[in-house]
Each structure stands twice: as C-alpha cells, then as structure tokens.
Amino acid sequence: MENFNYHRPATVLAAAAMLKKSKDGKYMGGGHTLLPTMKQGLAAPTDIIDLTAIKNFGGIKVSKSIVTIKAGTTHMEVAASKDIKKAIPALAEMAGKIGGVHVRHKGTIGGSIANADPAADYPSACLGLGATIETNKRKIEADKFFTGMFETALKAGEIITAVHFPIPKKSAHQKFPNPASRYALTGVFLSQDGKGKVRVGVTGAAASAFRATEIEAALTKDFSAKSASSVKIAAKGLMSDMHATAAYRAHLVSVLAGRAAAAAK
Amino acid sequence: MADTKTGIGASVRRKEDLRFITGKGNYTDDINLKDQTVGYFLRSPHAHAKIKSINTAKARKMDGVVGIFTGEDVAKDKLGGLICGWMIHSKDGSPMKAGPHPVLALDKVRFVGDQVALVVAETKEQARAAAQAIVVSYDVLPHVVDVAKAMKSKANVHDVAPDNRVFNWSLGNEADTNAAFAKAAHVTSMDIVNNRLIPNAMEPRAAIGSYDTGTESYTLYTTSQNPHVARLVISAFHGLAPEHKLRVIAPDVGGGFGSKIFIYGEEVACVWASKFIGGRPIKWTGERSESFLCDAHGRDHVTKAELAMDANGKITGMRVHTKAAMGAYLSTFSAAVPTYLYGTLLSGQYNIPNIYVEVDAIYTNTAPVDAYRGAGRPEATYVVERLVETAARELKMDPAEFRRKNFVTSFPHQTPVIMMYDAGDYGAALDKALDMSDYKNFASRKAESAKNGKLRGVGFSAYIEACGIAPSAAVGSLGAGVGLWESAEVRVNPIGTVEILTGSHSHGQGHETTFAQLVSERLGVDINNVLIVHGDTDKVQMGMGTYGSRSGAVGMTAISKALDKIEAKAKKIAAAVMESSVNDVEFKDGTFTIKGTDKKMGFGEVALASYLGHKFNTSEIELGLKESAFHDPSNFVFPAGVHICEVEVDVDTGLTKIASYTAVDDFGNLINPMIVEGQVQGGVAQGIGQALLEGAVYDEDSGQLLTGSFMDYNMPRAANMPHIENFQLGFTCTPCPSNPLGMKGCGEAGAIAAPPAVINAITHALGVRDIAMPATPLTVWTAMQSMKIAAE
C-alpha cells in the first residue's frame, strides 16, 4: 500500500471540496473494497476522504410509503432496524446477510451502491424495489444508476446522500453465495407493489446488476414460484468464471426468483 | 494404575489450549530480537522464464534498505541448493532426475512465486518498496501447469528431464497382474483425478535468522514440524555451518499438515543472509498470498485404475498407472509421497493377490507438491475406494457386502506391495459403522429427502493407512535419506517433577497433554508437574519431528522406553534407601513399597534421594535420575476403519450437503480419546474440503494461480460440516503388536477416509459413475444437466 493523505470532513460540502483539491482522491465509506485493492497495489489514491464522520450522514426514516436510508448507515443498522423489518422485511434480511459481522458493522449502503460491485447485494434491492438514489446534486432512479462493472451514473465528485425505497406489498431476497467468497454468485431481490406490478433485481450474474424483465412479466401475470422458475433466462451476456458458468448463473436466476416468489411477504 | 483422571485413556482437557486461545502462544512472529530487520521476497510473476538480468542499483539506495541478495550472491557464497531427501529409482534402474533448486532463483524461474531476491530493510514497507524498484529482465519461456499434459509439452522445466518426467517407478508383479486381468470375469476401469490442494495452516510460514559474530554461530527461529531435520539439512546439504554452530528453534507453531516439514528457500535465505549484514537478525513472515503461492501443495494425481474380479465377486488383481505432479522443484520428501506412501497402500483392506502400479512423477510450472495430511495414502485410498465402490455397483452387489467379501481377515497379512498388515478387524468396524449409520433404513431417508427436492446418496470408505513410517533400515533401503526413529529424554527434578525432552514436535496435536498423560500413568505424577520440551535443537539432542501420525506410535514409545529406565533406576535407589533388595521393590501409583513390609517411599522422595546421594553408595549407583532412549519401530502401524457418508444434493442448484457422517476407526489403544476425536473431526473436515470445496487452479494460458486467496480457494467452514448430531464417531480396537503401548496413529485418518466416502455418496445420489473433486455446486449441476436429471 502506498502512502496517502487521510481526510475526515464534517460536511458533504467540505468532502466534495477536498476531492476536487486532491490529485487523485477517493471517497471512502466502509472501505471494504477500496482498502483491499489498495493493499494489493491495484489502487493508489493520493487522498482518502472518509465520509463516515460527516454529521447526520447516517440514519433511517420510514414514512407511510417510503423507507429512506441515509448513505452512511451501516448494514448492521439496516438489518437491526425494527421499522425496516416491518416495512420491507426482505431488505433488513438482505442487509443481515452481507459479508460477516465485521463487514456489517463498517460497511455502508452508500459505499456499496457507489462501488457497484457486480456481486454486491444492495444493487439488486435498489432495482428490485425501484429505489431512488439521492446525491448532493440530484436524484437518480435505480434503473438508470447501475451502468456497468463498478460503474454508475455518478459524476466525478458526486456523493450519494440517501436511498429512498418505495414500500412494496410484498418482497423477498434470495442469495446463492459463491462457495469461497460468500459474495452473491447470483442474488435475486423481488417485490410486488399494490397494483400487482413485479420488479426483479438480479446481482452477481452479470457485469452489472440488472432487472430480469421476463420474470417480472411472468410474475405480474401469475405470481407463483413455478411461474418464475419456469422462465428460461438467456446465458448470453452473463459472467463465466471458475465458480459458475453463464449457463449456471442463468439457471440460478430462475431458481432463486422462484424461491423468492414462494417466500415473498 | 495411576489416577485414571490423568492417565492413559482419560479425556483430559488440553493443557496448552488456555495459552493458545487467550493469545499467549509464542509463535515465530511474536519473537523480536535486538537490531532485527525485515526480509521481503521479490517473486517471479512468470510461470517459466529465463532471468536475463537483475538490476538492484536503484533499490539499494532506497530508504531503510540494509541489503539485497540474489541467486548470484547465493552461488558466490557456495551455499548449497534445496534437496529432496528420498531417492527414487525408475523401474529401469536409473536414479530420479533432480533439477537444481537454488535457495534464490539462479538463471531461471520455474513457477509464479519462485523467489528471485531477498530484500532486507528496517521496515516491511521499505523492504517492499525497494523490491518493487528492482528491475528484473525476463525472457519468458513456454510453461505447463497440467500434469496430464506435461510429458508432451513444449515446456521443459528442468534440463535433466527433457520430457519433464522425474522418474517412472513401479511396484508389484506386472506379469502376474496382467495374467489375472486376462482371466478376469469382470474388470472395472476408471480415470481418477485427485485434485491439487493448498494446505493453508492458520499460521503462515515465518523465520528469523541471525548470526552471532562472536561465536560464529547461527540461530534460526522457524515454523517447522521437525527442527532437527531442518538443522541437519541446512548444515549438511546447504553447508551453512556445522550442526554445533547452528541452532534451530521451532517455538509454538500454528498448524502444519505437512507443509511445515519441508526446508524452504526463504528460511534458509534469512539465516544465511544475516552474516552479510553484520549478524543483524532478519525476520520474514509469509503473507497469506505467499502461503497460497509458495507453500508446498498436496495431491495432484491423474490415474488410470483397473480392478479385476472373478465370477464370484472376489478381487483378483489391481492395475494402476498414475501421473503425479511434483511441481517445479522436488521438495524435501516429495519423491516418497507418490511412491512408497502411495503404491504400498493400494491393497486397501482387501485380499488382492496381484497388484501392479506404475507412477510417472512429473515436473510442472507450479508450486512444488509434497506431503499434505495423509501424503500418498489419501490418493491411494481414493483410488481403491472409488474402484471398489464402482465395481460393487457394476456387479449389482451391496457395496458393504462386496467389501466384506474381499476383506483381509487373518493377520499378519502380506500384501503384494511390501506392507505386512499386523493386526486389524475390518469386519468389526464395518458392522459398527453400518449399525451407527442406520444403513438398513437408508431407503426411508432417501424417500424423505426426495419429498424436499433432494437426492440422497450413501457412500463408503474402508480405508487403511500406514503410519509411523519405519523401521529405519527398511525406509533406508527404499531410498530415505534419514532414519525414521524417535528419541526421548526423561529428566526427573529433585522434587519429583518431570521434564520430557522429545524429538517430536507439537503444532496442534496436543503433545503437552498426551505425553504428560503417559508420564502420569507410569510415574503417578500429576500432569501439571510434567513439562514437555520440544522444538529446540539446543535442548533436545536429536529427533525426527512430527508427521505421518508418528508421534504417538514412535515418539511416545521412545518416552516409554526412557521411563522404563527411570523406573528401574528409581527402584534401585529406593531399595538402597529402604535397605532392601531391589527384587522386593514394587512401584505402583507413584509409591515404592517393599514386599512384605510397611516400608514405602513416594516417587518425589526417591527423586530427591537420587540427587542427595546420602543414603546409597554413589560408586555403585550413579547419582541423579535422568535417562534417554531411542526407539526404532519394528514395523509400520496400520490404522484402519470404515467411514459412511450420506449426502443430500439440491436438484435445483447442485448444492451438496453432508446429511450425516459416521466414522469408525481402529487406532489401537487411545491415550486421550477427546484429542483423538478432535483429530478425526479435523481430518474429516479437511477430507470434506477436498471432496466438496477445495481445489487449486492454475490458469493454463498464463500459468498464474487463480485460486490465490480465500476469495477463490474455498476452505471448509463449520457450516460445511454435518450437524454435530449427525457426525458420529466410533472406535474399534485391535492393539498394535509392534509397540508396547499398542497405539497406531490418528492424525491423518479423517483426511484419508473422507474424500471417497463423500464422492461415493454423491455419485450414488446422482446415479453417475464419477464426479470430479471438488464437487462444487457448478460441477454437480453440470453433471446433472448432462445426465438430464431434470428438476421436474
């Protein structure tokens, strides 16, 4: 790991200014991707701007129709939130399955979403629930947010401040972990709103989280496990590696969607 | 009998655990010496390349750099290369083709991770920064990582072996075996792959090397399973210093599993280089990624195996041809593993009149392969038990009954592959395992699983292993460069506490407890008054270390022999002090009594008397109470058992769960059943790891290790094990006739037995003939797809 300047700004404004001033600065939430890549010499930022000391950067607010999670909220706080457990139980469950205990106490929702790891869990929830991602500049729909492997619609210097999740009628999360890393080899987050409209967010299967629109259509028509699991997903465009072929990942999307449909509440 | 609470057979809690689990162990990395520097190794990024030049000029000028050493420096100082301590001859009589293995790469690198330079600096950061500033110019050469392809590859790992073949070894009678196959009523033939494993002991390898400029002697602290062997090799073969000028200390060591038996370049480089920096100690602690890249790996066999049977289902012959990967260099004991630790076990528990095995040992551009928990015996057991299970299925016989029909039932039994089995009762273990696993009701459990979308299967493994690895003369005749005996010294202090100096080395096995239990049993001394001293060549005179499940059968027998001498001498002293004949002295529960009188002395009183010399004639009886012994076993020991595994395979995802696991083992007499159970559980965990989870993968195109971290290399977790209620252990006992304690060995059994039990269960569940290890969800799902086992 190379030496770097470490900053701990108290406001979003100050953080943005620091990044602008730095030669090759990086924002950091929990640091669970950034720090390992720095240790391996794959990243060598000149400045680390730690966002976790920003005042009021974390927190959970649940209204009648929206769950708002501020960017600095840890996975543990989401997993333990009584309000979220009541409003969107699958979201709390999913947060409780991210990484291990240490990771959940440090990792943040904003960091996870901004990093857009192809196997991260939160992107599937954002897509599966139709979330809106709020930054210091604007609001972005989840559907337009995840653009590629570790790529998002965020512009240089932009900071996620909160994520707004509409409360569905029912939802569920299913994850098939990579046997070694325990990241999602494939994960599915599914919801159905009051009008019967279904969204299915998928992570781990492709370079970027995506919506399984064929399964959404099938489930909107007939909300059942069989309806979801009998949709054949095309393997083309999905990832292939030593842990899973594209065909296996495609198969898992249908299997997990079926299980999620059965488990949805 | 001693107090049964701490003697032989008592499940005493491990004395050493409190310090280990409260962070008070003293591992190599915990030790810091005065003026210590940090070593860092620059490693090869290429699988195979010529080193054209190494430019260290810029790096040497960097902050904190104390010294930089390359292969040329090693050569200039005439430091010898790493050796393979077991000579194997090919069947044509030619000796194995051992290529050079310099402490630091010279002229050529042969695998990704090969050490190219040692950078010594004040801090690790400085050492790493300087290493990155070294400019190495490489000429990349063709490489090969797949053992099956290496003999026909363009890549030539060592000049001495143009076809990359180290040796072509054989054992058994080829003509008789071929004749048996010609007459066979049925032949079962299989291609069997034993996947490459990466040991991953919890503590990475580490070393602190220092040179004392005053006494001109070296000290090496290191993570070794056998510090005396390390001293012998570094002294006699590397030629660093004579043995009395080299001290090797292996303090607490956090797991070895074989990978810390070997003498590696890093440790030798650290102790050697200290002399050139004014004797300042050099500490190197391997990072986990270095463990993955550079610790000796295990297994990696590709085998064609055949079993011949007569019309009655009796096995008449076995024919095996194995390609065994050795990696880029021959590691310390590597040549013995796919030969005398493998071919000799191919008879399994069965009466097989004809066996012929041929092994091609092959260089590949990968980390060296050497002994890993089981070492050759897991590979042999996998071949035998996959063949036997498959043969039973082909003959439509119950796999348990097919085994029983072919079991060896009378002892001693001479196999066609050297081994003379001394004692055992394989049928008893099978009966017990069938009973404990409720085999007769398997069908109802299978039906229950099917209701939940799960395919259930049951698999057997009737394994045998040879531990102890002895007698010395026998292993010497087979090519071993050392004798495989053990030594012990018993020092009784004047107040009756006892110090045991042993050549065995504990790195997780619990010797501080079990060895003390033997002393407690024999001398009636509380185990807390017994100190086990090991792991320091300045304290223990000589020893062969711990591997091959030998510390009980060999190491404790040496202690037992020394205790015999202690008891004999103490009796003489007691007799003299109590003015009686030595023939009238009886010793029981730590008390000496004189037959027919009420005279008695405690063990502590006799110990004190032995050092006072007030009440016996010191010209007749020598002062003190200290004895030593060497023990060279008369035969191997043969632990054996039957393991039965049931799995459930998820039809939708291919995920396999161990539904239940039953292990029945015959280890002879047990010293501490709790520790033995722990050894079985740990071994089974590693065996399940090999079967379901672990597998080293090198990229064919780049030669890079793809499974270079825990993100991709899947170590067993608690959740991969069967639930504790479904993980049953049982024991049978036929005492070992070749040692006075009747002990066999238990350290490797689980890792040997489990892989075929698991794979036999999965193939049974799926109705397929074979499935590759590790049977990951992807592998199982793919097999189900090709078998068209549909979810619906």
Side-chain angles (χ1 to χ4, degrees):
Chain A
M1 193 189 287
E2 300 294 319
N3 282 335
F4 55 87
N5 304 309
Y6 178 69
H7 310 275
R8 221 167 138 73
T11 65
V12 171
L13 220 60
M18 280 167 184
L19 189 87
K20 212 167 174 185
K21 240 178 87 182
S22 72
K23 194 170 153 211
D24 180 22
K26 279 250 186 260
Y27 295 132
M28 187 174 82
H32 283 113
T33 301
L34 183 57
L35 293 178
T37 49
M38 285 167 66
K39 282 183 184 171
Q40 289 164 353
L42 300 173
T46 56
D47 295 74
I48 292 289
I49 298 135
D50 184 345
L51 304 178
T52 58
I54 293 173
K55 285 197 187 91
N56 300 318
F57 200 56
I60 293 162
K61 209 175 100 190
V62 177
S63 75
K64 221 172 177 182
S65 57
I66 302 279
V67 168
T68 297
I69 305 176
K70 294 175 88 176
T73 311
T74 64
H75 309 323
M76 207 65 192
E77 288 164 341
V78 173
S81 163
K82 279 185 192 146
D83 292 340
I84 297 179
K85 280 185 192 168
K86 216 167 121 189
I88 317 178
L91 187 60
E93 268 173 42
M94 186 208 78
K97 286 189 267 179
I98 299 173
V101 178
H102 303 80
V103 169
R104 292 197 287 275
H105 274 91
K106 285 297 285 179
T108 63
I109 185 170
S112 170
I113 290 169
N115 186 51
D117 187 304
D121 295 302
Y122 265 121
S124 67
C126 291
L127 293 172
L129 288 163
T132 302
I133 291 137
E134 187 175 348
T135 74
N136 55 343
K137 306 265 187 210
R138 59 191 167 137
K139 287 186 174 176
I140 311 166
E141 286 171 38
D143 288 352
K144 293 181 180 156
F145 186 84
F146 302 101
T147 55
M149 190 177 278
F150 297 108
E151 279 175 17
T152 67
L154 289 172
K155 298 211 171 92
E158 199 171 1
I159 300 173
I160 297 175
T161 54
V163 186
H164 307 280
F165 295 97
I167 298 172
K169 192 170 94 190
K170 52 185 175 181
S171 61
H173 172 248
Q174 287 284 328
K175 167 153 98 177
F176 191 82
N178 176 311
S181 71
R182 314 305 285 175
Y183 270 90
L185 195 68
T186 293
V188 167
F189 200 109
L190 161 161
S191 76
Q192 184 185 42
D193 69 12
K195 292 173 197 150
K197 192 166 175 292
V198 174
R199 295 178 66 100
V200 178
V202 178
T203 193
S208 167
F210 66 94
R211 282 173 62 188
T213 48
E214 308 96 310
I215 299 178
E216 290 180 355
L219 284 173
T220 303
K221 218 157 114 194
D222 166 22
F223 195 91
S224 71
K226 192 150 182 225
S227 161
S229 65
S230 49
V231 175
K232 279 231 181 307
I233 299 289
K236 199 171 167 239
L238 301 188
M239 291 193 295
S240 235
D241 53 42
M242 73 175 116
H243 302 290
T245 57
Y248 183 51
R249 283 189 162 94
H251 170 76
L252 284 177
V253 172
S254 307
V255 169
L256 296 177
R259 289 180 180 181
K265 58 182 184 212
Chain B
M1 276 292 286
D3 180 354
T4 52
K5 283 182 194 149
T6 61
I8 288 175
S11 287
V12 180
R13 277 207 191 176
R14 297 183 4 149
K15 287 170 67 181
E16 50 269 73
D17 281 354
L18 187 64
R19 85 169 189 275
F20 290 152
I21 63 177
T22 55
K24 290 170 187 162
N26 187 37
Y27 298 89
T28 299
D29 191 58
D30 293 326
I31 296 164
N32 290 298
L33 305 178
K34 193 168 168 278
D35 293 333
Q36 182 174 288
T37 62
V38 178
Y40 183 89
F41 288 91
L42 177 68
R43 297 187 180 280
S44 169
H46 302 295
H48 197 195
K50 266 193 189 133
I51 300 173
K52 288 201 293 192
S53 65
I54 303 176
N55 187 340
T56 59
K58 187 180 162 205
R60 283 180 197 277
K61 289 183 202 136
M62 288 173 68
D63 281 351
V65 173
V66 179
I68 296 178
F69 302 90
T70 66
E72 283 188 13
D73 299 312
V74 170
K76 230 181 282 167
D77 197 44
K78 298 196 165 48
L79 185 72
L82 297 154
I83 57 146
C84 179
W86 200 301
M87 170 53 77
I88 296 294
H89 287 83
S90 288
K91 68 175 181 181
D92 68 7
S94 61
M96 68 184 184
K97 293 164 182 162
H101 190 181
V103 168
L104 293 170
L106 186 68
D107 304 335
K108 225 178 157 190
V109 287
R110 291 182 174 86
F111 71 102
V112 174
D114 210 350
Q115 60 268 17
V116 173
L118 165 62
V119 180
V120 183
E122 300 294 341
T123 71
K124 186 166 185 181
E125 287 69 27
Q126 289 169 337
R128 188 192 284 125
Q132 282 165 358
I134 295 174
V135 183
V136 186
S137 172
Y138 290 105
D139 212 349
V140 175
L141 298 168
H143 64 265
V144 63
V145 294
D146 183 346
V147 65
K149 296 179 183 166
M151 277 178 65
K152 289 185 178 153
S153 165
K154 277 192 303 202
N156 178 206
V157 184
H158 286 280
D159 296 343
V160 289
D163 58 355
N164 293 319
R165 188 160 70 169
V166 185
F167 56 75
N168 165 237
W169 173 87
S170 70
L171 184 64
N173 188 319
E174 186 175 19
D176 290 356
T177 305
N178 287 344
F181 274 84
K183 276 191 290 186
H186 182 83
V187 172
T188 295
S189 175
M190 298 185 85
D191 294 310
I192 293 172
V193 177
N194 205 289
N195 46 327
R196 177 183 279 247
L197 303 176
I198 303 179
N200 272 310
M202 197 181 288
E203 180 203 21
R205 285 195 291 124
I208 309 172
S210 67
Y211 177 72
D212 186 320
T213 54
T215 60
E216 297 179 324
S217 62
Y218 293 88
T219 302
L220 173 64
Y221 289 87
T222 187
T223 47
S224 175
Q225 298 178 216
N226 36 217
H228 291 87
V229 176
R231 184 181 65 165
L232 176 66
V233 170
I234 296 171
S235 176
F237 293 94
H238 295 284
L240 182 71
E243 281 172 286
H244 70 293
K245 296 268 188 188
L246 172 61
R247 179 182 185 184
V248 178
I249 302 169
D252 285 333
V253 174
F257 310 110
S259 70
K260 292 172 182 167
I261 298 171
F262 322 120
I263 292 59
Y264 292 90
E266 289 91 343
E267 289 85 331
V268 177
C270 285
V271 68
W272 163 77
S274 171
K275 185 179 176 179
F276 299 97
I277 57 167
R280 290 184 70 183
I282 301 170
K283 180 194 269 189
W284 167 74
T285 302
E287 295 181 358
R288 181 58 59 185
S289 53
E290 291 181 292
S291 307
F292 276 102
L293 281 178
C294 309
D295 287 7
H297 293 178
R299 322 284 193 250
D300 201 358
H301 284 196
V302 175
T303 294
K304 182 170 179 58
E306 300 162 284
L307 197 67
M309 285 142 283
D310 68 14
N312 300 316
K314 278 272 198 191
I315 301 170
T316 55
M318 180 188 282
R319 207 157 46 188
V320 175
H321 191 136
T322 294
K323 287 187 157 98
M326 307 306 281
Y329 300 100
L330 298 184
S331 173
T332 316
F333 286 109
S334 57
V337 177
T339 51
Y340 291 107
L341 296 180
Y342 170 71
T344 54
L345 271 303
L346 286 170
S347 195
Q349 298 187 357
Y350 310 104
N351 196 344
I352 306 180
N354 304 288
I355 298 177
Y356 179 69
V357 52
E358 214 170 293
V359 177
D360 291 317
I362 294 170
Y363 287 122
T364 53
N365 293 110
T366 63
V369 178
D370 207 327
Y372 169 61
R373 201 172 192 172
R377 291 150 293 174
E379 295 91 316
T381 300
Y382 194 67
V383 167
V384 174
E385 288 305 289
R386 290 288 296 121
L387 265 183
V388 164
E389 186 92 12
T390 306
R393 288 176 195 169
E394 287 176 353
L395 295 175
K396 305 217 175 336
M397 284 180 71
D398 182 279
E401 293 319 307
F402 178 70
R403 284 178 170 84
R404 192 190 303 278
K405 190 181 182 106
N406 285 287
F407 275 162
V408 170
T409 51
S410 72
F411 297 88
H413 172 81
Q414 177 64 55
T415 73
V417 279
I418 298 177
M419 292 302 179
M420 166 100 84
Y421 299 167
D422 53 7
D425 187 346
Y426 308 141
L430 179 62
D431 286 339
K432 190 163 185 170
L434 288 172
D435 184 50
M436 285 171 66
S437 66
D438 189 28
Y439 181 61
K440 63 179 188 298
N441 291 314
F442 172 76
S444 68
R445 289 191 296 279
K446 187 175 174 69
E448 200 59 36
S449 297
K451 280 187 206 161
N452 302 317
K454 305 277 167 38
L455 299 171
R456 197 177 186 105
V458 59
F460 290 79
S461 175
Y463 76 95
I464 187 164
E465 56 166 324
C467 303
I469 316 186
S472 294
V475 296
S477 74
L478 302 179
V482 288
L484 287 168
W485 43 265
E486 198 44 88
S487 80
E489 185 177 329
V490 179
R491 297 179 181 170
V492 180
N493 295 321
I495 56 166
T497 61
V498 180
E499 290 168 25
I500 302 288
L501 285 77
T502 170
S504 301
H505 183 275
S506 189
H507 32 277
Q509 292 86 347
H511 293 174
E512 289 175 40
T513 306
T514 44
F515 289 12
Q517 284 181 253
L518 173 62
V519 178
S520 178
E521 173 84 22
R522 293 289 304 275
L523 302 182
V525 174
D526 188 292
I527 57 165
N528 293 314
N529 289 332
V530 181
L531 177 70
I532 307 299
V533 179
H534 65 94
D536 185 341
T537 59
D538 266 13
K539 293 182 180 169
V540 178
Q541 185 238 336
M542 189 56 194
M544 293 313 298
T546 288
Y547 39 83
S549 306
R550 67 193 301 277
S551 298
V554 190
M556 285 182 80
T557 302
I559 297 171
S560 178
K561 281 183 155 180
L563 288 169
D564 290 344
K565 295 183 189 175
I566 288 282
E567 191 178 320
K569 180 162 183 199
K571 274 182 174 168
K572 274 194 209 166
I573 293 165
V577 173
M578 292 190 274
E579 295 170 334
S580 306
S581 157
V582 70
N583 297 327
D584 293 333
V585 179
E586 285 179 343
F587 181 53
K588 204 182 153 199
D589 294 345
T591 303
F592 296 87
T593 53
I594 306 298
K595 241 186 275 178
T597 73
D598 59 357
K599 289 182 185 173
K600 62 177 181 180
M601 280 180 88
F603 179 73
E605 292 175 276
V606 173
L608 183 62
S610 79
Y611 288 98
L612 291 177
H614 292 171
K615 293 189 174 169
F616 59 92
N617 185 340
T618 56
S619 62
E620 279 172 19
I621 304 173
E622 198 178 316
L623 278 161
L625 202 48
K626 184 180 87 164
E627 298 288 350
S628 63
F630 282 70
H631 174 63
D632 193 24
S634 58
N635 192 0
F636 289 77
V637 296
F638 297 97
V642 174
H643 290 205
I644 301 177
C645 176
E646 285 188 24
V647 299
E648 275 192 333
V649 178
D650 180 10
V651 175
D652 291 334
T653 63
L655 181 70
T656 301
K657 286 207 156 158
I658 308 292
S660 71
Y661 197 98
T662 306
V664 175
D665 297 291
D666 178 356
F667 300 136
N669 294 327
L670 309 184
I671 305 295
N672 183 321
M674 183 185 68
I675 289 179
V676 171
E677 285 175 8
Q679 285 280 1
V680 175
Q681 286 161 341
V684 168
Q686 277 175 306
I688 290 174
Q690 169 161 30
L692 294 183
L693 314 167
E694 300 181 52
V697 181
Y698 280 93
D699 183 48
E700 281 214 52
D701 294 335
S702 66
Q704 299 290 327
L705 179 65
L706 295 180
T707 51
S709 81
F710 291 130
M711 292 293 281
D712 290 306
Y713 189 88
N714 191 8
M715 288 297 278
R717 295 167 165 86
N720 299 120
M721 296 302 112
H723 189 277
I724 194 77
E725 285 169 13
N726 300 323
F727 193 173
Q728 302 185 79
L729 306 182
F731 297 98
T732 57
C733 179
T734 57
C736 175
S738 70
N739 67 65
L741 298 166
M743 299 176 64
K744 299 181 183 177
C746 67
E748 298 162 291
I752 292 168
V758 175
I759 296 299
N760 285 338
I762 297 176
T763 52
H764 182 239
L766 302 184
V768 299
R769 200 159 185 273
D770 193 21
I771 196 151
M773 295 195 291
T776 63
L778 171 65
T779 302
V780 173
W781 179 78
T782 307
M784 289 195 291
Q785 291 307 106
S786 58
M787 292 297 292
K788 297 210 186 323
I789 298 171
E792 299 297 318

